[in-house]
Amino acid sequence: MRLMLLCSLTALCSAVQAAPVLYDGGLPDLRQGYVSDYHDPGGTRAEVADRFGAAAPGHVAVPRTLRWWGGYLFGDGAPAGDLFSVRLWSDSLPAPTGEPLHAKSFYPANPVSRTATGQFLVTATGEQGAQIYEYAVQVGEQWTLAPGSAYWLAIQNDTTGDDDSWFWATSHATAGAATWREHYGSWGSLQASMAFQIEFDDPDAPPASVPEPHSLTLLGGGLAALWFTARRRMQERHVQGRARHP
């Protein structure tokens, strides 16, 4: 019975799997970030892009969730809401050129989630800097990425109406290829890697198995049987204990 229950639980858990990661640019290194904000108190309208490769799988993949890390400078904390825009270019060196393959703005109708990580930038002198947030959004469009191909991804916030400037955090990755520009002018190298991840849907993968009704019934029956067995043994031990200690 225990073996049957274990097998049922294993089958049930394997049916629910996290989306595979197409690209992992690393977590924030907590050392620095670069402003990528349409509105900036300095008036730069800065934009940051990072180059990445679609490593897996061995065929076209459809991005599902985009996740990245950053924070806010100059203001008194995070604004009430974010107005992020994401742009994707095909590969070119040393920086993106031409019109992006895809461009999408995530306004209140399709908001980006924001979660405080409890981590902060640390200055060179060891002082605590700006707080780091994790952001995530469902791409919501069929952005197909070819295997073995490289792309440029730009993430830019718009904090107009607030005193903040949003920065994209750098990551632990060592091969830095990020680039940066002002007023949508020429790109300049940053020699850094940005913190972001891309999860994807695999169009060629078999659909995730959903437990059938009889499987759920078997699992429920196994749990009930295990409970009754455990209860009976507890009662037996209790009776034996009273017999030994009148």
Side-chain angles (χ1 to χ4, degrees):
M1 178 60 70
R2 288 183 179 178
L3 179 59
M4 182 184 297
L5 178 61
L6 178 60
C7 293
S8 300
L9 285 171
T10 302
L12 182 63
C13 293
S14 63
V16 182
Q17 299 179 351
V21 176
L22 176 66
Y23 177 79
D24 187 353
L27 297 174
D29 58 16
L30 306 182
R31 293 183 297 182
Q32 61 182 343
Y34 290 96
V35 172
S36 188
D37 197 325
Y38 180 82
H39 166 76
D40 179 32
T44 60
R45 292 186 178 179
E47 182 179 24
V48 174
D50 198 6
R51 185 173 181 261
F52 71 96
H59 44 74
V60 171
V62 179
R64 173 194 294 180
T65 303
L66 178 61
R67 195 180 311 278
W68 66 96
W69 288 263
Y72 307 89
L73 300 174
F74 308 130
D76 54 357
D82 296 288
L83 300 176
F84 280 103
S85 295
V86 175
R87 285 175 279 278
L88 181 76
W89 286 268
S90 57
D91 190 31
S92 59
L93 293 175
T97 58
E99 293 296 318
L101 296 173
H102 302 285
K104 187 175 181 63
S105 296
F106 298 97
Y107 291 124
N110 185 18
V112 171
S113 68
R114 180 180 68 201
T115 305
T117 65
Q119 296 179 309
F120 297 81
L121 292 180
V122 179
T123 67
T125 58
E127 297 177 353
Q128 180 176 294
Q131 181 167 196
I132 297 295
Y133 294 84
E134 177 183 327
Y135 306 86
V137 71
Q138 300 295 312
V139 175
E141 292 183 0
Q142 299 300 304
W143 292 16
T144 56
L145 302 178
S149 298
Y151 298 89
W152 288 94
L153 177 73
I155 301 176
Q156 185 185 45
N157 204 351
D158 183 357
T159 59
T160 299
D162 198 278
D163 292 332
D164 297 301
S165 283
W166 184 79
F167 67 87
W168 191 355
T170 55
S171 79
H172 290 285
T174 56
T179 185
W180 175 83
R181 65 179 176 176
E182 298 178 356
H183 295 288
Y184 303 108
S186 299
W187 295 93
S189 176
L190 290 178
Q191 297 297 314
S193 294
M194 312 313 295
F196 73 101
Q197 296 175 344
I198 302 175
E199 299 171 357
F200 73 101
D201 286 323
D202 187 347
D204 292 345
S209 58
V210 178
E212 298 180 1
H214 72 268
S215 299
L216 294 176
T217 301
L218 176 63
L219 178 59
L223 289 172
L226 185 60
W227 182 82
F228 281 117
T229 300
R231 184 184 179 192
R232 183 181 62 192
R233 290 180 177 176
M234 289 178 63
Q235 290 174 339
E236 291 175 353
R237 286 196 295 267
H238 182 60
V239 170
Q240 294 171 357
R242 286 189 297 173
R244 285 195 299 266
H245 302 282

